[in-house]
């Protein structure tokens, strides 16, 4: 396939981006071998160091495997890649070729948030749970300013996830709120039912402060599964969560 020559600034980034998109879009199939470094360097009109760096990043994302002999074999991203792939794509304005990506990200957020709220209530220390209550009140004071509420919502949930003491949940949370990947790229007005539920956020905070794990999980799930407006993804497809 033909690759477009790239500007000299951020050369490796451009090579990486084009190869990543070619693999994720299916132009290169799993187990297929990429062209060699010399051939790629000629196609992109860059030096081999830039190609080598791009291949290293592709391997870190789980998109390729570079063998000792130098051959680069394409991997199935559905088997080998993690959330870093989605982050890499959204940071460049692209999305995974998955029709239900918005729904999928929201479902993951609900699962992580619900259990993190339960654990925070059951084993969070008093300082952590008191901070959640204060954050809920600060959040309530921002209504009905949806953009500011969205930012405060992330701050409140960070306290809840941190209070759970679960490092894996915290890392997942960081990925879910990073850049344009935040809750499946849903704008604040698409989440109005969730964000404007001030009473629900207060009930959640109160349950956490009271150490009521089951109630905290119930209130968290109610908030995180609130109806989401039909949205158009960056690729132009409509997704309903």
């Amino acid at each position: 396939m033909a690759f477009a020559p790239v500007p000299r600034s951020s050369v490796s980034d451009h090579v990486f981006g084009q190869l990543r998109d070619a693999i994720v879009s299916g132009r290169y199939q799993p187990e297929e071998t990429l062209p060699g470094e010399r051939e790629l360097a000629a196609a992109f009109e860059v030096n081999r160091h830039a190609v080598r760096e791009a291949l290293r990043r592709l391997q870190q994302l789980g998109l390729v495997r570079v063998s000792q002999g130098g051959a680069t074999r394409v991997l199935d991203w559905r088997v080998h890649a993690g959330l870093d792939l989605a982050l890499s794509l959204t940071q460049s304005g692209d999305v995974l070729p998955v029709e239900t990506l918005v729904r999928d990200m929201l479902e993951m957020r609900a699962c992580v948030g619900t259990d993190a709220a339960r654990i925070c209530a059951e084993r969070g220390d008093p300082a952590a749970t008191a901070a959640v209550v204060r954050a809920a009140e600060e959040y309530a004071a921002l209504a009905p300013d949806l953009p500011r509420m969205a930012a405060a919502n992330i701050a409140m949930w960070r306290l809840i996830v941190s209070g759970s003491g679960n490092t894996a949940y915290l890392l997942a949370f960081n990925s879910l709120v990073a850049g344009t990947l935040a809750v499946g790229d849903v704008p604040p007005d698409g989440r109005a039912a969730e964000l404007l539920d001030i009473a629900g956020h207060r009930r959640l905070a109160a349950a956490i402060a009271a150490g009521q794990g089951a109630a905290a999980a119930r209130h968290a799930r109610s908030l995180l599964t609130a109806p989401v407006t039909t949205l158009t993804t960056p690729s132009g497809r409509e997704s309903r969560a």
Side-chain angles (χ1 to χ4, degrees), residues 16 19-24 28-32 34 55 57-65 72-78 80-82 85 88-89 96:
F16 162 75
L19 288 174
R20 177 203 59 205
D21 292 351
I23 292 170
V24 172
Y28 282 108
Q29 293 295 313
E31 297 304 317
E32 191 173 348
L34 289 182
L55 292 176
R57 293 171 62 188
L58 291 171
Q59 185 165 239
Q60 288 178 334
L61 282 182
L63 296 181
V64 302
R65 179 183 293 115
T72 302
R73 193 170 301 280
V74 174
L75 299 176
D76 186 343
W77 63 264
R78 293 171 179 82
H80 298 278
L85 173 59
S88 172
L89 286 161
L96 286 174

Side-chain angles (χ1 to χ4, degrees), residues 14-235:
H14 284 275
V15 175
F16 162 75
Q18 289 195 51
L19 288 174
R20 177 203 59 205
D21 292 351
I23 292 170
V24 172
S25 68
R27 282 180 279 169
Y28 282 108
Q29 293 295 313
E31 297 304 317
E32 191 173 348
T33 301
L34 289 182
E37 286 185 9
R38 188 185 303 276
E39 186 178 346
L40 288 172
F44 284 113
E45 298 183 12
V46 300
N47 60 48
R48 292 180 67 177
H49 174 76
V51 171
R52 196 171 296 119
E53 172 63 18
L55 292 176
R56 182 188 65 80
R57 293 171 62 188
L58 291 171
Q59 185 165 239
Q60 288 178 334
L61 282 182
L63 296 181
V64 302
R65 179 183 293 115
V66 181
S67 68
Q68 286 187 335
T72 302
R73 193 170 301 280
V74 174
L75 299 176
D76 186 343
W77 63 264
R78 293 171 179 82
V79 175
H80 298 278
L83 279 178
D84 285 351
L85 173 59
L87 287 169
S88 172
L89 286 161
T90 55
Q91 286 165 0
S92 66
D94 295 330
V95 295
L96 286 174
V98 177
E99 293 287 345
T100 58
L101 182 60
V102 171
R103 182 206 67 188
D104 298 346
M105 297 304 297
L106 288 167
E107 287 178 350
M108 179 179 176
R109 183 184 71 127
C111 290
V112 171
T114 296
D115 202 47
R118 176 188 64 80
I119 298 173
C120 183
E122 293 175 349
R123 68 186 183 201
D125 61 55
T129 57
V132 171
V133 173
R134 288 195 300 273
E137 291 307 312
E138 292 168 2
Y139 174 81
L142 296 175
D145 189 335
L146 287 175
R148 294 181 66 194
M149 292 178 78
N153 181 264
I154 290 175
M156 178 176 170
W157 276 104
R158 183 174 295 282
L159 290 171
I160 293 172
V161 177
S162 296
S164 75
N166 187 306
T167 302
Y169 281 172
L170 183 59
L171 294 175
F173 173 84
N174 289 339
S175 293
L176 286 168
V177 300
T180 55
L181 191 62
V183 294
D185 200 21
V186 179
D189 57 350
R191 297 169 52 214
E194 172 196 345
L195 293 177
L196 292 176
D197 187 355
I198 303 301
H201 284 82
R202 282 175 167 154
R203 285 193 295 269
L204 170 60
I208 289 174
Q212 300 171 347
R218 184 172 65 255
H219 295 315
R221 183 157 189 81
S222 177
L223 286 170
L224 296 175
T225 57
V228 174
T229 305
T230 299
L231 304 163
T232 300
T233 66
S235 63

